[in-house]
Amino acid sequence: MKNFFEKIKEKYFMGLHGKIMKIVLILSGIMVVLFVGVTLTLLHALHNTIENVAVEESEIVEDSAKEALMNTTYDSFVQTITWAADQIDDEFWIMSHDYYVLREQIEDVLKNPSKYPAKTLEPPRKENEGKYVLQFVCPENYDKNNPGVTEKLARIANLEPMMREIVHGNDGYTMDCFVALPDGAALAEDNLSGGKFDENGNVKTYDATTRDWYKGAVEKGDIYFSEDMMSHFYKLRELTWGLPVYVDGELAVVLNGSSPMKALEKKLNERIIGETGFSVLISDKGHIVYSPKAGGELAQDDDNTHDIRVTANPSLAAVVTKAVNQETGFSPVTLDGVDYYVAYAPVDSVGWTLMMFISQGELERDSIALQGKLSAASDNTLDEFDKYVKINAAALLIGLFIVVLVIAHVISVRTKKALKPISSLTEEVYKMDGDHMVFEMKEEYMTDNEIVVLAEAFSDMSVRLQSSLNEILKRTAEEERMNAEIDAASRIQLAMLPSLSESITSREEFDIYAHMVPAKHVGGDLYDFFLIDDNHLGIVVGDVSGKGISAALFMVLAKNTIQNQLMTYGNDVVAAVTEANKLLIRDNAAHLFVTAWVGVLTLDTGELRFVDAGHELAAVSKKGEEFTVEKDNHSIVMGMIDRVEFFLNEVQLQSGDTIYLFTDGIVEAKDINGDLFKKERMLDALNINPSLSPEELDKVVREKVDEFVGDAEQFDDITSLCLRYYGNNS
């Protein structure tokens, strides 16, 4: 027994902790005696009053809970589902955007086959697993030896670098890129060659016309997303899409891409709220494209044929019907016997619907806030309770006042001496400031209790704190240096673009203005204008694929390369562009490409010779009349294919003619709803007053773009160049 009490004493009543414990025990004992008497009286009164109000409170809560829930959650829930649906819609837009670009290049190949030499079509090979290669797949008993059958694909094979960039650049989302003929044969760009062999080592046959994406795209005549399905080649479920390509009104090929369902599932699982919340994606046919539920009324069937609008659950069927009709709303619903709230909003790109569920119990638990009504209902009862509180509170306050005076005196005397080292220690800690972060040990801290431990801890902490501060200063200096370098790179890039020097502004034959606003610190757009000689003006506008530093460096390379070749070849624009293309491919380590409009204007005659390498068509105003977009003889983009023919365009400018060149950052500028500015709005802006100066015309266009975009973030570089020709009649 003695050992037991000795252990208790050592554990709780030794050192500084023991001294404070004794004081606390004395104070607590006095307080307990007073509080016991007062609390018993208060509890008795409280018991009687709570009995009177309990029934009334429960009735108010029950009547008001549902109304309060609906008022406080409807707006926020609808805003959440609308935002989530927009995010999912952006994912589908990103997956389909590159295929629209590829379609334009394929149309050029099919309309101008002589420009593209036929390539050898290679079948899938197991040794290419993990490598991005172009492979030829076809239906069973397909005549591979008939050269006329596969001629289209053999010429389309020239676009392999672009197809590889589409798949490789969207790693994790886009698995492959197919180009399929109406007879079922197809080119496939991916790094999954091994999946195209059966268990016997033979290449699997493939008929593209039997796939849902092919049928849907042909039927719709535009981009079509199929529902969740099992991959033909790979042992996984995937989401596929198709995009038809027509030439002269006839179906030529159908493009296809696919994404693993796991990628879509990850995005949908990020769009949930609460502990019981989950999201479901519904197709326009009422089929479940994705559901996290393995069983029950929202379980996904294997073949995606069940229309949940015909479910036996009336409340669920009614909500799904509204959702499939592209409505946005919020409703209560019963699911597998559990009451839920569901919000729904359309995913516009595919015509599907996102539905977000959360149990009613969870929302009601967190949303009921009825203190006002409860307070009003209990006012009369609390008045009666106050009578008892006032009497007992007066006695309690007098007793506590006397006790506090006594205890304060005792604590002041007993602890003043014991806590003196702590006061000194505190002063030393306050002195730690700025560069002086070292805590020095003193003799008075060397006590037989916890003070010495605390002092040693401060000493160790000061050493580690000083080390941490030095590291923070080092990192901060490095970040400032990096930001300064990025800002310097941005200024250098903008400085490399040409300015309106006196040699340009002094010319009376023309008036020119150009401007570029990068989407980030540095951009991938470019423009250039310079005098090749006294009678020839070189003009360049371009847009490099990609974003960031790599695109900016390639922009500088492209600008300088094209300028050098124009200075060398002069009025022979085709030769200059052809040689520049070879040099860009040779130095293109990042596998980028650039769309470019490259022209040379003969100043005394107004003859304009130019090459349009995959760039936006120019807007032209004849002698101050309205601007229109003029079609030209398009060529392929620069930096992608070595042996390619570039086509010359020749235009005779008259005095007063104006040309407006631009990049897709203008026509593809998006507002907060994802809508595009488009060429029609650009032409409307230019035609407000076509007689304005080039600088004023460009200012009007940019003001209209800013007004349209509003608070949306700038997605792409915005570049424009406006030239008005006067000739010798200036």
Side-chain angles (χ1 to χ4, degrees), residues 6-61:
E6 295 234 344
K7 290 180 179 178
I8 293 295
K9 182 179 180 181
E10 290 175 359
K11 185 173 183 180
Y12 295 104
F13 297 96
M14 297 296 291
L16 180 61
H17 178 261
K19 296 176 183 178
I20 296 176
M21 279 294 295
K22 292 175 184 177
I23 297 172
V24 171
L25 286 175
I26 295 172
L27 179 61
S28 298
I30 298 172
M31 296 296 293
V32 166
V33 173
L34 291 173
F35 273 114
V36 166
V38 175
T39 302
L40 288 176
T41 304
L42 293 176
L43 287 176
H44 178 71
L46 183 62
H47 174 76
N48 293 333
T49 56
I50 288 180
E51 282 185 346
N52 296 329
V53 300
V55 175
E56 187 176 2
E57 287 181 348
S58 62
E59 292 176 353
I60 293 174
V61 171

Side-chain angles (χ1 to χ4, degrees), residues 28 74 134 178 248 365 429 435 446 481 575 586 624 676:
S28 298
Y74 177 84
L134 196 65
F178 278 68
D248 298 329
R365 180 189 67 206
V429 172
D435 296 333
M446 308 304 291
R481 184 188 65 80
R586 184 193 68 184
L676 300 180

Side-chain angles (χ1 to χ4, degrees), residues 472-616:
I472 290 173
L473 291 174
K474 181 179 178 181
R475 291 181 180 177
T476 301
E478 180 63 21
E479 290 179 359
E480 291 177 350
R481 184 188 65 80
M482 292 180 63
N483 290 334
E485 290 181 356
I486 291 176
D487 290 339
S490 176
R491 292 193 300 269
I492 291 171
Q493 184 190 30
L494 293 176
M496 294 185 67
L497 296 174
S499 60
L500 294 174
S501 62
E502 183 179 357
S503 62
I504 295 294
T505 57
S506 62
R507 299 303 295 251
E508 298 180 351
E509 298 94 332
F510 64 90
D511 187 6
I512 192 167
Y513 178 78
H515 188 50
M516 190 268 280
V517 178
K520 297 183 178 181
H521 284 288
V522 290
D525 281 6
L526 64 100
Y527 69 82
D528 202 358
F529 51 84
F530 52 91
L531 288 170
I532 299 173
D533 54 40
D534 193 55
N535 195 37
H536 292 88
L537 175 68
I539 307 168
V540 182
V541 175
D543 185 359
V544 176
S545 64
K547 300 287 186 297
I549 297 296
S550 60
L553 292 175
F554 193 72
M555 165 267 194
V556 174
L557 175 64
K559 172 183 173 298
N560 291 338
T561 301
I562 295 173
Q563 184 187 75
N564 290 338
Q565 298 310 311
L566 283 177
M567 294 298 293
T568 300
Y569 288 95
N571 205 28
D572 192 349
V573 183
V574 172
V577 172
T578 301
E579 185 62 26
N581 181 60
K582 293 178 181 179
L583 295 175
L584 288 176
I585 292 174
R586 184 193 68 184
D587 299 330
N588 193 356
H591 302 291
L592 300 174
F593 60 86
V594 58
T595 68
W597 193 101
V598 183
V600 174
L601 173 63
T602 302
L603 299 180
D604 60 352
T605 65
E607 180 188 32
L608 176 63
R609 298 163 59 87
F610 68 91
V611 170
D612 187 344
H615 197 69
E616 297 284 348

Side-chain angles (χ1 to χ4, degrees), residues 20 30 88 113 120 131 137 160 253 282 300 563 582 598:
I20 296 176
I30 298 172
I88 297 299
T120 302
K131 303 177 182 177
V137 292
E160 179 184 7
V253 297
I282 307 294
Q300 185 176 3
Q563 184 187 75
K582 293 178 181 179
V598 183

Side-chain angles (χ1 to χ4, degrees), residues 619 626-627 660 666 677-693 696-708:
E626 287 195 346
F627 279 89
Y660 189 77
I666 291 181
F677 186 68
K678 297 184 178 179
K679 291 181 180 178
E680 290 77 8
R681 290 188 176 91
M682 181 193 73
L683 290 174
D684 290 342
L686 290 170
N687 289 326
I688 292 176
N689 188 354
S691 64
L692 292 175
S693 69
E696 291 172 330
L697 282 171
D698 187 62
K699 181 179 179 181
V700 171
V701 173
R702 291 177 180 272
E703 287 177 349
K704 293 299 182 181
V705 171
D706 292 341
E707 179 182 327
F708 174 81

